[in-house]
């Protein structure tokens, strides 16, 4: 849980962007258990079946599983949420950072699943480890640090995560996310002054 940064959070914000992202990625990888890393199948060229076994069923790559799950979750379809969540879990197991983000978001909010901050943190950290520019995961992880949900309350860590998330969102041209993160940074600065 970012033990690497305890005591050095203040200095972290003065490092250059590439070094900060590298350190953040390393800390996310360190936070993941070695068994979780071994269980993840991060292979871009291989497809896996929905039930994770090679069989006669049609096989789907992680991105297809993720896209289908989002369509099911965002529609008014009759497909149960649990089936969509199962697809997200399979995509996440195959190394899709967006699927890990979505699972983290669901667990953090308690939407369609039982609220579980430890699972949310795991999925946000995994998304960041897989994609060091995954600003949505950084933003949501920062929010957990602000309030101390599932992690010790750490405003400096939250500031660091918000700052990197904002820079990544700017690089991707996501103005809505930049505005939301900027607002969070301003609000956090007010809390830090108290």
């Amino acid at each position: 849980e970012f033990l690497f940064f305890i005591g050095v959070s203040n200095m972290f914000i003065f490092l250059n962007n590439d070094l900060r992202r590298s350190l953040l990625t390393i800390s996310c990888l360190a936070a993941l258990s070695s068994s979780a890393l071994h269980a993840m199948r991060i292979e871009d060229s291989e497809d896996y079946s929905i039930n994770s076994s090679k069989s006669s069923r049609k096989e789907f790559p992680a991105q297809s599983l993720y896209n289908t799950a989002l369509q099911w979750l965002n529609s008014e379809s009759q497909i149960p949420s649990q089936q969509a969540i199962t697809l997200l879990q399979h995509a996440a197991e195959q190394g899709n950072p967006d699927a890990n983000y979505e699972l983290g978001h669901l667990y953090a909010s308690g939407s369609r699943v039982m609220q579980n901050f430890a699972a949310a943190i795991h999925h946000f950290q995994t998304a960041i480890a897989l994609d060091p520019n995954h600003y949505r995961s950084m933003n949501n992880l920062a929010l957990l640090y602000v309030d101390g949900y599932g992690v010790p309350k750490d405003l400096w860590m939250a500031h660091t995560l918000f700052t990197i998330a904002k820079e990544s969102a700017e690089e991707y041209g996501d103005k809505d996310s930049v505005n939301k993160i900027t607002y969070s940074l301003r609000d956090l600065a007010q809390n830090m002054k108290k």
Side-chain angles (χ1 to χ4, degrees), residues 30-185:
L32 298 172
S33 69
S34 60
S35 62
L37 286 174
H38 291 295
M40 290 173 30
R41 292 182 298 258
I42 307 171
E43 300 177 33
D44 296 329
S45 62
E46 287 200 32
D47 297 338
Y48 296 90
S49 67
I50 289 176
N51 67 1
S52 297
S53 64
K54 296 284 183 179
S55 67
S56 59
R57 296 185 103 190
K58 182 174 176 164
E59 295 176 359
F60 299 96
Q63 190 62 40
S64 295
L65 293 172
Y66 167 74
N67 292 340
T68 302
L70 275 191
Q71 287 175 350
W72 290 355
L73 288 172
N74 294 328
S75 73
E76 298 295 324
S77 74
Q78 300 299 319
I79 298 168
S81 296
Q82 189 55 46
Q83 287 180 334
I85 292 167
T86 299
L87 290 181
L88 280 177
Q89 289 168 335
H90 286 292
E93 289 169 2
Q94 293 178 29
N96 184 297
D98 293 326
N100 276 288
Y101 162 77
E102 290 296 336
L103 285 169
H105 180 72
L106 292 173
Y107 282 117
S109 67
S111 173
R112 301 176 191 227
V113 294
M114 187 172 198
Q115 192 171 47
N116 182 336
F117 292 118
I121 291 163
H122 168 78
H123 286 291
F124 291 143
Q125 289 176 335
T126 301
I128 296 167
L130 292 167
D131 178 1
N133 293 311
H134 207 279
Y135 55 90
R136 294 181 302 158
S137 291
M138 286 182 230
N139 179 66
N140 284 13
L141 190 56
L143 292 170
L144 295 176
Y145 273 101
V146 167
D147 295 321
Y149 292 133
V151 291
K153 187 173 183 174
D154 187 340
L155 299 182
W156 282 107
M157 178 56 72
H159 183 275
T160 300
L161 287 164
F162 280 138
T163 302
I164 297 171
K166 180 181 173 193
E167 292 165 358
S168 293
E170 287 171 342
E171 288 176 16
Y172 281 92
D174 186 345
K175 292 180 183 178
D176 287 339
S177 291
V178 170
N179 291 336
K180 288 176 186 175
I181 296 168
T182 300
Y183 178 78
S184 294
L185 275 166

